[in-house]
Amino acid sequence: MSSQKSTADTPAPIAASPEGTPPAGPKKPTRERGRARVAALLAAANTVFAEKGYDAATMTEIAAKAGAPIGSLYQFFPTKAVLADALLVQYGEGLVALMAEVEAQAPALSPIRLGATLMAVLPSLKVERRAAFALIDARPDMVAQQGQLRASLRTAVAAVLRAKAPALAPERAATLAVTVLQMMKGAAALADDAGGMPDAVAEMTRAAGLYLADALNENRN
């Protein structure tokens, strides 16, 4: 038992894996205590990456932010790159989960209310979104992940629109989704502004609702 603890508390090197050796992935916790620790580590990493960016952030600072021993961080995430990958996966899964909730609610929402609900999705993950963009900006190898994330989000928006208007043709839903997603990004950017700009966010939200009311009514005619 003691030998296992010693191994887990020994920090893994941050250096790249030997040539020809695939990099280690994150360790999956099997107990509730481990899952809570990983959640705390990921939350701390999101905050640190969002505030400092990928290059300036350190594993030591992230562990301290989580109130965890540095060995625990390395136990679950052997390198900073592995941690960054895990955060992007978490962000993508969080977006998909939120969009699935909106899709389930869509049939009962008016177009105006649906627009407001969609505009609130990205701002609700403000820290995670800032961290994800910081990671993508610092690592060119993540460009592909960014494209996949954007495509998944467009697909999710189209699914929401078709849930609200089942007769909407898939091609039309895909076209509308591109515009709606741009509005969602615009609302998030305004919400991220240092001043907050709540009036501008409200106007963007109103515009999205009116756009959906017009587009979905057009589908019924």
Side-chain angles (χ1 to χ4, degrees), residues 34 64 67 113 134-135 163 170 203 215:
R113 185 58 188 161
L135 299 177
E203 287 300 311

Tab-separated table of all heavy atoms in Angstrom, residues 34 64 67 113 134-135 163 170 203 215:
chain	number	residue	atom	x	y	z
A	34	GLY	N	-11.208	10.261	-6.037
A	34	GLY	CA	-10.326	10.563	-7.156
A	34	GLY	C	-11.021	11.429	-8.195
A	34	GLY	O	-10.415	12.351	-8.749
A	64	ALA	N	-1.332	24.115	-6.802
A	64	ALA	CA	-1.558	24.989	-5.648
A	64	ALA	C	-2.952	25.596	-5.701
A	64	ALA	O	-3.628	25.703	-4.670
A	64	ALA	CB	-0.496	26.081	-5.607
A	67	GLY	N	-5.348	23.285	-4.440
A	67	GLY	CA	-5.118	22.836	-3.072
A	67	GLY	C	-4.711	21.379	-3.017
A	67	GLY	O	-5.046	20.653	-2.073
A	113	ARG	N	-37.612	33.070	-26.989
A	113	ARG	CA	-36.995	32.453	-25.816
A	113	ARG	C	-35.892	31.485	-26.224
A	113	ARG	O	-34.864	31.376	-25.544
A	113	ARG	CB	-38.073	31.713	-25.000
A	113	ARG	CG	-37.581	31.137	-23.690
A	113	ARG	CD	-37.011	32.223	-22.807
A	113	ARG	NE	-36.363	31.662	-21.631
A	113	ARG	CZ	-35.491	32.315	-20.887
A	113	ARG	NH1	-35.158	33.555	-21.197
A	113	ARG	NH2	-34.948	31.743	-19.842
A	134	ALA	N	-7.081	30.006	-25.184
A	134	ALA	CA	-5.667	30.209	-24.840
A	134	ALA	C	-4.840	28.992	-25.232
A	134	ALA	O	-3.717	29.124	-25.743
A	134	ALA	CB	-5.524	30.479	-23.343
A	135	LEU	N	-5.385	27.810	-25.023
A	135	LEU	CA	-4.670	26.587	-25.368
A	135	LEU	C	-4.538	26.433	-26.878
A	135	LEU	O	-3.474	26.072	-27.393
A	135	LEU	CB	-5.401	25.375	-24.779
A	135	LEU	CG	-5.537	25.343	-23.257
A	135	LEU	CD1	-6.351	24.132	-22.820
A	135	LEU	CD2	-4.169	25.327	-22.593
A	163	ALA	N	-35.344	20.447	-33.802
A	163	ALA	CA	-36.194	20.023	-32.687
A	163	ALA	C	-37.351	21.009	-32.519
A	163	ALA	O	-38.480	20.622	-32.191
A	163	ALA	CB	-35.386	19.934	-31.402
A	170	PRO	N	-32.860	19.568	-43.486
A	170	PRO	CA	-31.511	19.528	-42.908
A	170	PRO	C	-30.573	20.577	-43.496
A	170	PRO	O	-29.786	21.186	-42.771
A	170	PRO	CB	-31.041	18.107	-43.237
A	170	PRO	CG	-32.292	17.314	-43.335
A	170	PRO	CD	-33.307	18.240	-43.939
A	203	GLU	N	-29.074	43.399	-26.795
A	203	GLU	CA	-29.446	43.681	-28.177
A	203	GLU	C	-29.128	42.507	-29.096
A	203	GLU	O	-29.905	42.179	-29.999
A	203	GLU	CB	-28.736	44.951	-28.668
A	203	GLU	CG	-29.291	46.234	-28.092
A	203	GLU	CD	-30.752	46.434	-28.444
A	203	GLU	OE1	-31.108	46.302	-29.636
A	203	GLU	OE2	-31.548	46.700	-27.528
A	215	ALA	N	-37.087	33.192	-39.296
A	215	ALA	CA	-36.630	32.014	-40.047
A	215	ALA	C	-37.543	30.816	-39.832
A	215	ALA	O	-37.871	30.096	-40.783
A	215	ALA	CB	-35.201	31.664	-39.636
